[in-house]
Amino acid sequence: MSNLIVTILLTAILVVVIVGLIVLAVRLAQRPRNTLFGGGLGPELIEQVLQLKAADEFDQAVFLVRGQTGMSHRAAARLVRRVRPPA
């Protein structure tokens, strides 16, 4: 009798873990890490980033991009480094 209870409990725990992993995978697939939220990179954001870079405020520019786009820190820093004023 106790073996049956242990088997049922282990099966229930295994099912809960599998369902939890499936739910987590679906949520992660719906919004990949570096997708853009809202309007993304508009001309206003680029202008603000250029102003912050000109004022030697690289970190503030990265935080601004992260806040506006939802990018990871690494991706936002890469973008800020690559933004150049129009020639």
Side-chain angles (χ1 to χ4, degrees):
M1 183 67 173
S2 69
N3 285 341
L4 179 62
I5 293 172
V6 169
T7 303
I8 292 172
L9 286 175
L10 288 176
T11 303
I13 291 171
L14 186 62
V15 167
V16 168
V17 168
I18 290 172
V19 169
L21 288 173
I22 290 171
V23 168
L24 178 64
V26 168
R27 286 188 180 179
L28 290 175
Q30 286 178 348
R31 190 187 69 80
R33 187 174 179 191
N34 289 327
T35 58
L36 299 178
F37 290 136
L41 296 174
E44 299 87 19
L45 179 60
I46 299 295
E47 184 63 34
Q48 289 175 330
V49 166
L50 288 172
Q51 289 173 358
L52 288 169
K53 281 182 65 174
D56 259 356
E57 296 288 339
F58 180 82
D59 290 335
Q60 291 299 323
V62 171
F63 291 134
L64 176 67
V65 171
R66 289 186 71 196
Q68 294 291 320
T69 65
M71 287 182 173
S72 69
H73 183 81
R74 185 177 187 183
R78 193 175 329 131
L79 183 132
V80 169
R81 275 194 294 279
R82 290 183 180 174
V83 170
R84 302 275 186 249

